[in-house]
Amino acid sequence: MLIRTATEADLPGVLEIHAHAVARSTAIFTEVPPDLQGRRDWLAAHSEPGRSAIVAVEGDLVVGYGSVGPFHAKPGYRHTVENSVYVREGHQGRGTGRALMESLIASSREAGHHVMVALVEAGNEGSARLHRSLGFEDAGLLREVGTKFGRWLDLRYMTLRLDDAPADPPPDRPSPTDRGGGEAAQRPSGAAAKPPAPAPRGARPAQSDEWPSCREGPFSRGG
Ligand SMILES: CC(C)(COP(=O)(O)OP(=O)(O)OC[C@H]1O[C@@H](n2cnc3c(N)ncnc32)[C@H](O)[C@@H]1OP(=O)(O)O)[C@@H](O)C(=O)NCCC(=O)NCCS
């Protein structure tokens, strides 16, 4: 098995895995079948600096994929990323999910991110155990915030501290995931505010009808 950056040629395989998770599991909070354009959008959205889209391949077969992108669109969240990871049915339980996660964590540390967040459907014990085994801590449970297959779903927040940063945030510096205007959160209160640069119009968020756990976008614009 090889872990590498995802390419356009991998997208049909990624789509098969993704479509299976949508149709059969509560890992992704939608029942709308995904399409190839959605996976193209996913790849584009996760190919920007500080983000990643990776695949696990065995020969020509994509057996898993994962990604890391911004946790939130607001600048104050710019040192936090969110991950997702999926392994093809029939290939689970062989270390692929762990290998993908280890690669995502290593590249996120290298990129200088501070915290990684995983949003895991509360009944997804396999994913919760995978994340815990990599050092993620349970950070809260949101009850009945999702629905699929005619029932309510709870969402577990899990977090992993990526760096050994001191208690205070680092001095202003552009974050690898910053889409513009990222300096505001670290300005001392009362300091003159420079208007934030407008966010570039990047690739449209992947699958805007999705609100999955271990989501892949849209990157939140709320609070
Ligand atoms: C969850 C998932 C990514 C794990 O990947 P995987 O390749 O099957 O897992 P691995 O073989 O790498 O196992 C790593 C660890 O995960 C945990 N784990 C994985 N599957 C598990 C299961 N079914 N039950 C309990 N623990 C499980 C274990 O702690 C395991 O460590 P161990 O083998 O030392 O006990 C994969 O099963 C999957 O894609 N599931 C469906 C989609 C999904 O839920 N994605 C995550 C959304 S948040």
Side-chain angles (χ1 to χ4, degrees):
M1 186 205 22
L2 173 72
I3 307 279
R4 58 163 172 74
T5 301
T7 68
E8 177 87 23
D10 298 318
L11 294 181
V14 169
L15 177 62
E16 284 173 7
I17 299 168
H18 188 78
H20 186 274
V22 167
R24 300 284 187 82
S25 80
T26 50
I28 304 174
F29 288 15
T30 181
E31 294 174 53
V32 179
D35 60 17
L36 198 55
Q37 185 56 46
R39 294 302 85 197
R40 289 195 192 104
D41 294 343
W42 166 80
L43 183 60
H46 291 86
S47 296
E48 295 182 31
R51 307 177 185 186
S52 43
I54 59 173
V55 287
V57 292
E58 286 178 9
D60 289 340
L61 184 67
V62 178
V63 294
Y65 72 92
S67 57
V68 160
F71 170 60
H72 205 292
K74 289 278 196 301
Y77 292 98
R78 68 191 179 280
H79 299 296
T80 300
V81 287
E82 185 176 330
N83 75 281
S84 79
V85 59
Y86 292 88
V87 175
R88 186 182 286 274
E89 196 184 44
H91 294 258
Q92 297 172 358
R94 299 183 196 168
T96 304
R98 183 184 297 284
L100 285 163
M101 282 302 301
E102 285 173 348
S103 173
L104 292 173
I105 291 167
S107 60
S108 296
R109 288 200 161 116
E110 209 167 297
H113 300 309
H114 182 50
V115 171
M116 185 178 287
V117 181
L119 279 75
V120 181
E121 191 267 310
N124 191 346
E125 261 312 305
S127 180
R129 280 180 60 175
L130 167 63
H131 285 87
R132 282 189 201 113
S133 75
L134 291 160
F136 280 77
E137 296 176 338
D138 288 71
L141 187 68
L142 278 62
R143 293 195 188 277
E144 300 187 1
V145 293
T147 179
K148 188 171 182 178
F149 303 147
R151 59 189 174 89
W152 295 120
L153 298 173
D154 299 344
L155 189 62
R156 189 186 306 283
Y157 273 63
M158 306 186 77
T159 55
L160 175 70
R161 171 84 173 264
L162 294 166
D163 58 8
D164 298 320
D168 291 334
D172 281 357
R173 63 179 163 83
S175 158
T177 61
D178 197 352
R179 305 181 80 175
E183 74 275 27
Q186 290 173 24
R187 189 182 304 118
S189 63
K194 197 174 78 181
R201 295 228 180 274
R204 73 185 161 88
Q207 299 288 62
S208 59
D209 58 336
E210 290 178 20
W211 196 252
S213 58
C214 275
R215 60 191 179 169
E216 300 154 350
F219 310 124
S220 169
R221 297 189 179 281

